[in-house]
Amino acid sequence: MKKKRVSITDIAKALNVTPSTVSRALNGGGKVSEKKKQQIQALAKELGYRPNPIARSLVENKTQTIGLIIPEFTHHFYSRVLAGIESVTSKAGYQLLICTSNEKKRQEIKSFQTLLDARVDGILATVCKKNDEFGHLQEVLESETPLVLMDRICEEIETSYVISDDFEGAFQAVDFLLQTGCTQIIHIKGPKVLSTSFNRFMGYKEALRKHQIPYNEELIFEGNDPELPEKIRTYIKTNPVDGVFAYSDYLAFEAVNVLRNEGISIPDKVAIVGYADEPISTYVTPQLTSVNQRPFDMGSIAAGFLLNQIQDPNSPLEFKSLKTELVTRSSTKKNQLARSWE
Amino acid sequence: MKKKRVSITDIAKALNVTPSTVSRALNGGGKVSEKKKQQIQALAKELGYRPNPIARSLVENKTQTIGLIIPEFTHHFYSRVLAGIESVTSKAGYQLLICTSNEKKRQEIKSFQTLLDARVDGILATVCKKNDEFGHLQEVLESETPLVLMDRICEEIETSYVISDDFEGAFQAVDFLLQTGCTQIIHIKGPKVLSTSFNRFMGYKEALRKHQIPYNEELIFEGNDPELPEKIRTYIKTNPVDGVFAYSDYLAFEAVNVLRNEGISIPDKVAIVGYADEPISTYVTPQLTSVNQRPFDMGSIAAGFLLNQIQDPNSPLEFKSLKTELVTRSSTKKNQLARSWE
DNA sequence: CTGTTAGCGCATTCAA
DNA sequence: TTGAATGCGCTAACAG
């Protein structure tokens, strides 16, 4: 026998008033005599009354719910983004409806549909890797549901977004390698279709240009190549290499392994920089120099943008490119110009 | 101007029928002439009709939503639990309302309240570390909202749960250390109030007993002691130690660091086993032998239990203690009895 | 087979 | 200040 939840009508009956009055007394509605208001509020508390958000949603046409679409949570990065989001949405009284796409386009599309169906008040999303077509995002826009993209953007779609300054982050990293004396720097690239891959690659090139080091295509490796370790191993045996800039900490770690197996000392012979500053960077040996993307901030800022749009649908789109911070550890040589991340 | 969503009444009007008919035609209701059904379904599709789950929830008194409370997502473990949950809930057509407690009791209580308010059909939860009092769980039970606990249980509360067999997992680990010749095995304990800490500790003791090695209290260290590394360092300088069994991979890693700094070779002089088989265990050097808890299964099984209870509130409580699997890597010596995790 | 009526819990008119 | 009436979108019980 389900213990019936007490409704606004229950307490209205008990007090011989109408539900309207109770509603007004409980929300700030003002137009209720102080006496009744006190009475009603007291009884409500006593009975443990809890407003039914479902009913409220139905009449107010908003759900106090925000949808979140994220590729997955196994990367520390997204966990931090989530934490950042939650820190602001929970304070603002919003619930989070969370969907993961597992980097699959089909699931992503379905997730958007689900969230739209659920009538969320807004959507935060990081689109998945395979993203050549954006019809589903267009639909979101047409539904007039506020949307803020994080980390990865689609240029075809006009929406607010928060990204990390990948170009600058990569530039910082490679610039640092060059400053500490490296000249033959391998770059291990990220997934082809991602804007982040492209921007980091461009940052790499720009740093070379600044130091007038010629770009050498042979130094570029594809991160998703299953034979990556083997190819690096082969390459370094016959070519001079003194630095590695990887698209991710995980890829950097693969390079670490190859070098260690070959007995090449890090950072003396080859210095290595990863990307994302995941916890693993402090667990590997040597500890990995990496680019911190401030994922927590990414989440909190994106959530802020979204709340702005929800409050005022006519507010202008907002954009933010987060500055990165190079965290130097023992996989690179010392350089007084660099500050370590606090 | 918000593009109005088409409702059941819109399409009813357009076809000169009543909303009820439309409702019946769209749900399997049967009692509709084939012709009208076709017509209605066709128009619904054409107009892009999407049922409003809010309205449906209000009348059906269920939300097709499951609440999830997790301490946090930065541990890989919980990400996998989430993935397991989602794999079954999404198939069953349920949404996930996710709250994180950040291991804070206050937040946990608030999260339960939030989920109850949201009228979720059921709750999956891993309670936070500081959990001496369970009034809030009692409230959930009284509200008759199905509840399944994961990983950590409260003996005072009668509820379905899925846990990992911590006793057996620890036993396996320590038994393995003993089989490979260790006799002086340090145990680094987990948080005091957690059932998992206690059970792993008991498993450790049981393995010693099996091998008739006397229990030595000096070998027990507290994981949350900020001076842990220092204490271990001091101890091993004057006492024989040839093994470490840690409550977590992270704690195991602290031991690895101490040993490496002291120039003690792993696993030759001291073998080390962690717990949880987090990704870091493959990134540290040497790679860490660890106990895999099958978090994905934990999530999927818990979700299954919950769905059972939702479907039939009178179904009996269900319990599951997941078998663990010892994954041997290079931080321990070889032993043909052990199988590596696939 | 289909229309009518009612109601889920709440907020919000409009009268009184 | 308060009550009565209306509707949010949908399902379900009851008639016809």
Side-chain angles (χ1 to χ4, degrees), chain B residues 128-172:
Chain B
C128 67
K129 288 179 184 173
K130 303 272 157 48
N131 243 325
D132 29 13
E133 201 265 325
F134 302 112
H136 54 306
L137 292 189
Q138 198 59 51
E139 274 184 40
V140 176
L141 260 43
E142 283 167 11
S143 80
E144 312 228 352
T145 305
L147 169 67
V148 177
L149 257 27
M150 301 175 296
D151 194 40
R152 306 169 183 169
I153 58 173
C154 326
E155 302 191 341
E156 290 89 345
I157 300 290
E158 275 194 29
T159 159
S160 295
Y161 61 77
V162 182
I163 55 177
S164 182
D165 192 338
D166 288 289
F167 178 87
E168 179 65 21
F171 178 84
Q172 275 175 30

Side-chain angles (χ1 to χ4, degrees), chain A residues 156 223 260 267 279 305:
Chain A
E156 290 89 345
R260 212 160 42 196
F305 285 0

